[in-house]
Amino acid sequence: MDDLRDKYIALIADAADEASIEDLRVQAVGKKGEIALKMRELGKMTPEERQVMGPKLNALKDEINSALSAKKASLADAALEERLRSEWLDVTLPGRGRRQGSIHPISQVTEEVSAIFADMGFAVAEGPQIETDWYNFDALNIPGHHPARAEMDTFYTHRAEGDNRPPHVLRTHTSPVQIRSMEKIGAPIRIICPGRVYRADYDQTHTPMFHQVEGLAIDKDISMANLKWVLEEFFTAFFGTSVKTRFRASHFPFTEPSAEVDIQCSWENGSVKVGEGDDWLEVLGSGMVHPKVLAAGGIDPNEWQGFAFGIGIDRLAMLKYGIPDLRAFFDADLRWLRHYGFASLDQPTLHGGLTR
Ligand code: PHE
């Protein structure tokens, strides 16, 4: 019995996990375990021997059982300790910084422009960047032979051999959205349409893709005076200072009369300041919507009239934020983006302020 006892106490002490404890339990005190075998031998003993051995065997069984449960508990404790150690977290460590993107000046200015015109009752409209030649040209009173088509350096899409339909174009201006809005809304209309436009041109002041915002107001008695007021109101809000405008007679096939609009500026050693001085900078084309254009959009030119304008957004961004080279806008240079970009929470509103 002493051998049995020493053997199991040692084995239990060495057990590495709960499974080996269970094996030992079956071997020692299970129904067919070593103690049970010993118990069976009691039957062959004399009553005197049995009286001594019986309680001894029971005591041994109890001793082994309690060694087993003590070991089991200490293994569970050790496992918990180990988990606590391995899952330990230092909450005092400084956080890992996350790279933050910024809002591109074009997006920022688009939001600013939209906020200002929204305040004057203009809704934002959109149209596709790949246009039919009807919306981009014909409906705007630019027929096939018109020199304006050639002047615009249009990108044409490819048609399959034998397909004689006129090719789609990358829109050369946002003016096709005038027609789409007339068809969709009918008169009266007050919309702006900011968006991308495309022309095959590339130098310091031209990129093959750039941005315009179209404006269109149609009603019963809209005149050039309304156009001038709206534009001056816009520039003053946008630049945060009163800005004089100069209307120069011009020509666009889709407006009559037409005017190019300059804003007052000054040049000081190579950089431009808006709203002061006696130089002028061209920023947009505009005019009274041509009757043929109204008709193409399904609006009766005998009943309705209106003005339209197209402003270069990129130019506005360069002027307001002192960005010298247009091409850098589209180089995706992270250093440039971090320098000229805006924080994502700086959403421009008229009341919250348009600039940082
Ligand atoms: N679509 C003209 C351009 O891209 C601008 C314009 C718009 C002129 C509306 C008059 C009216 O140059």
Side-chain angles (χ1 to χ4, degrees), residues 109-122 124 192 348-350 354:
V109 166
T110 302
E111 291 294 326
E112 292 177 14
V113 170
S114 304
I116 296 169
F117 280 109
D119 197 56
M120 292 191 270
F122 287 76
V124 173
I192 57 162
T349 61
L350 276 189
L354 293 168

Side-chain angles (χ1 to χ4, degrees), residues 267-283:
W267 289 93
E268 256 166 55
N269 35 31
S271 70
V272 66
K273 266 224 162 115
V274 174
E276 57 181 57
D278 36 37
D279 267 329
W280 298 96
L281 205 74
E282 184 195 323
V283 285

Side-chain angles (χ1 to χ4, degrees), residues 228-229 231-247 261-265 273-276 279-281 283 316 319:
K228 190 168 203 297
W229 181 85
L231 290 177
E232 285 186 348
E233 196 72 6
F234 165 71
F235 287 121
T236 301
F238 182 76
F239 288 106
T241 169
S242 91
V243 180
K244 279 204 198 110
T245 59
R246 183 173 75 173
F247 279 56
V261 178
D262 305 335
I263 53 177
Q264 175 197 19
C265 72
K273 266 224 162 115
V274 174
E276 57 181 57
D279 267 329
W280 298 96
L281 205 74
V283 285
L316 287 184
L319 285 173

Side-chain angles (χ1 to χ4, degrees), residues 152 172-173 175 178 199 212 214 252 254-255 285-287 308-310:
M152 277 204 172
T172 56
H173 48 182
S175 300
Q178 287 189 33
R199 289 178 205 176
Q212 289 186 333
E214 193 80 5
F252 298 102
F254 32 92
T255 44
S286 66
F309 58 82

Side-chain angles (χ1 to χ4, degrees), residues 15-90:
D17 50 33
E18 274 196 51
S20 5
I21 293 279
E22 180 58 15
D23 285 348
L24 288 172
R25 192 189 63 77
V26 173
Q27 265 179 55
V29 296
K31 271 199 192 116
K32 292 175 184 164
E34 290 202 65
I35 307 259
L37 291 180
K38 288 274 178 244
M39 293 277 202
R40 250 172 255 167
E41 288 172 17
L42 289 176
K44 298 174 207 156
M45 296 179 186
T46 63
E48 292 74 26
E49 282 175 322
R50 209 181 294 145
Q51 255 182 12
V52 179
M53 294 304 283
K56 277 200 170 178
L57 273 174
N58 271 326
L60 175 57
K61 190 177 172 183
D62 287 347
E63 188 180 350
I64 291 179
N65 267 329
S66 50
L68 283 167
S69 41
K71 181 68 179 181
K72 204 167 157 179
S74 86
L75 281 175
D77 279 355
L80 181 61
E81 278 303 322
E82 179 50 35
R83 242 189 93 191
L84 287 174
R85 218 188 337 274
S86 67
E87 291 176 14
W88 181 79
L89 187 70
D90 184 354

